[in-house]
Amino acid sequence: MLNSTAVVSSIAMLALLALPATALASDPSSRPATWDMSPEQLRAVGLGQTRAAPIPVPRDKHADTAPKAIKQGLLFVNFEAITLTMGNDDSRTDVSSIFAGEFVAFGGGDAERAAVMAAVRTDWEPYDLVITESRPAAGDYTMNVTSPTNPFGSGSGVLGIAPLDCMDMMAPNNVTFAFHGAGDGFSPATVATTIGQEVAHSYGLEHVNNPADIMNPQNSGGDPTFRDECIAIVDGGAGIFCPDQHATHCGEPTMQNSHLELLEIFGSSIPDTQAPLVRITTPNDGAEYEVGANFRIEVTVTDDNAVASVQLFDGETSLMQDTSEPYGWDVVQIPEGVYEFTVKATDPSTNEAISDVVTVYVGLPAPEPESDGTGTGGTDSAGQDGDGDDGCGCRQSPQDNHHVLGLGLTVLGLAARRRGRPRPKA
């Protein structure tokens, strides 16, 4: 005979399974039966894991405490293996204020990662936040380390942790954690909820007492959202760390409206449809070199938000990629031939642009310009200045899938140095 707790749990699980998958995944008006379960009942059906209390960022850890006017945020979901060092949070240099050490890759194939990324983007769709699984080349961004490596222990039941940074004032490059891996039994929606909650902590959102809100600390299943309602904050006995941020929208510091707070920080979603502007600045089109010469290919790229990668091509052949400013490559002992260099720049929203062609002659003379009948040389309409209104000679391209081929050309990536990303357009 089943005891009363088991009977309740069994009935609740049957009710949960009876709900359409689409209702659990995307319809915020449906309420899974698990949202009304006690912690004991949740654990009986394999749920009830927790997301750890966030760790407040001490105000004396960072010199710049002025609020930032964020026009558009940038989130890097890192599925790859990573080694972190201890210190003040800096996602750009893999420094964490919470954990140091090695974290293994999320694992699985492209389909598993794509499902998680789709769920994360759905959760954050209302807000002006760019989400990428490729490390940004420059600028400020939050990084979520998504890895099954769990410093709390595999049986701890802790799914994630993050620093708590009110309005993202203290550390613009926070590192957060979601302890998930491919095949761990958690749905993409649950993984996305962990990622979303930990990232939101880094913008000052705290735990709330409602399983329908992403900021609820307990895994109650279903597909919660950032709710547009004032919900009581769960302080866990440590107090409320960002009272002013919460009181702005709820009138009192003990309540939190997750949706309105994120809208205040990021603004409403504005689709990023602007491709980068890219140009090869050296060498010049038509440059001539002796066989075995050394020279550098230098590139300038700008984007209204950030640049994800810059790829060098010779004709249709992909040569090398650079993901850090300043963009460029050293060419060493180049063989004889005619080279047609182009560069493709991609931003975190997968918008792409390709530079004009720069033709380089090695051991061969450049052809004489054809006469245009006026007694002067003709004009190359495909030069670097191009014919566009922006004067950068850029053009957008469809997706390419090139492979590196051996052409006898050695191209070495320049050492990465980072500068602040361009401010978004107003």
Side-chain angles (χ1 to χ4, degrees), residues 163 194 337 348:
T194 301

Side-chain angles (χ1 to χ4, degrees), residues 324-404:
S324 301
E325 291 186 286
Y327 304 109
W329 302 268
D330 287 329
V331 179
V332 180
Q333 297 183 348
I334 188 168
E336 179 179 297
V338 178
Y339 300 87
E340 296 182 338
F341 292 124
T342 57
V343 170
K344 180 173 71 175
T346 307
D347 69 15
S349 297
T350 70
N351 299 306
E352 296 179 349
I354 295 181
S355 71
D356 284 343
V357 177
V358 169
T359 304
V360 172
Y361 300 87
V362 179
L364 301 169
E368 293 292 331
E370 296 182 3
S371 173
D372 59 4
T374 63
T376 61
T379 301
D380 181 5
S381 62
Q384 282 296 96
D385 289 338
D387 298 323
D389 293 337
D390 57 29
C392 75
C394 307
R395 63 179 186 276
Q396 295 192 37
S397 71
Q399 288 279 355
D400 294 318
N401 185 19
H402 296 284
H403 299 281
V404 177

Side-chain angles (χ1 to χ4, degrees), residues 120-419:
V120 172
R121 289 192 171 103
T122 297
D123 289 342
W124 291 85
E125 186 176 11
Y127 318 109
D128 195 15
L129 179 77
V130 174
I131 302 171
T132 178
E133 59 180 301
S134 300
R135 184 183 289 271
D140 294 332
Y141 57 90
T142 299
M143 175 171 65
N144 187 89
V145 176
T146 310
S147 166
T149 301
N150 189 340
F152 290 101
S154 58
S156 64
V158 177
L159 298 182
I161 193 170
L164 181 62
D165 191 2
C166 303
M167 294 296 291
D168 197 31
M169 289 171 55
M170 305 301 296
N173 295 283
N174 282 304
V175 177
T176 67
F177 298 87
F179 305 126
H180 289 285
D184 64 2
F186 293 99
S187 69
T190 296
V191 178
T193 298
T194 301
I195 293 172
Q197 180 175 133
E198 305 310 337
V199 169
H201 282 320
S202 74
Y203 296 106
L205 274 67
E206 304 188 51
H207 285 155
V208 297
N209 188 24
N210 189 331
D213 195 294
I214 287 175
M215 300 312 297
N216 185 67
Q218 193 165 54
N219 176 24
S220 300
D223 193 5
T225 61
F226 292 111
R227 303 290 293 178
D228 186 9
E229 59 180 305
C230 291
I231 304 172
I233 294 173
V234 180
D235 64 23
I240 295 173
F241 190 70
C242 304
D244 294 340
Q245 177 174 333
H246 312 315
T248 298
H249 303 286
C250 292
E252 52 183 301
T254 60
M255 307 290 284
Q256 175 176 284
N257 186 312
S258 302
H259 173 68
L260 291 183
E261 289 193 18
L262 292 175
L263 275 182
E264 179 184 359
I265 294 170
F266 298 111
S268 296
S269 176
I270 302 174
D272 181 7
T273 60
Q274 179 66 49
L277 305 179
V278 56
R279 172 178 181 151
I280 298 176
T281 54
T282 60
N284 294 325
D285 187 38
E288 300 180 16
Y289 293 97
E290 295 180 355
V291 174
N294 301 333
F295 61 92
R296 186 167 63 186
I297 299 173
E298 295 182 340
V299 178
T300 59
V301 187
T302 59
D303 188 73
D304 56 342
N305 293 301
V307 178
S309 66
V310 178
Q311 188 81 33
L312 175 67
F313 293 87
D314 175 23
E316 298 295 320
T317 302
S318 175
L319 297 177
M320 291 290 289
Q321 184 181 85
D322 197 353
T323 58
S324 301
E325 291 186 286
Y327 304 109
W329 302 268
D330 287 329
V331 179
V332 180
Q333 297 183 348
I334 188 168
E336 179 179 297
V338 178
Y339 300 87
E340 296 182 338
F341 292 124
T342 57
V343 170
K344 180 173 71 175
T346 307
D347 69 15
S349 297
T350 70
N351 299 306
E352 296 179 349
I354 295 181
S355 71
D356 284 343
V357 177
V358 169
T359 304
V360 172
Y361 300 87
V362 179
L364 301 169
E368 293 292 331
E370 296 182 3
S371 173
D372 59 4
T374 63
T376 61
T379 301
D380 181 5
S381 62
Q384 282 296 96
D385 289 338
D387 298 323
D389 293 337
D390 57 29
C392 75
C394 307
R395 63 179 186 276
Q396 295 192 37
S397 71
Q399 288 279 355
D400 294 318
N401 185 19
H402 296 284
H403 299 281
V404 177
L405 300 178
L407 296 182
L409 176 63
T410 302
V411 186
L412 304 177
L414 294 176
R417 296 197 300 272
R418 303 183 186 278
R419 297 196 294 269

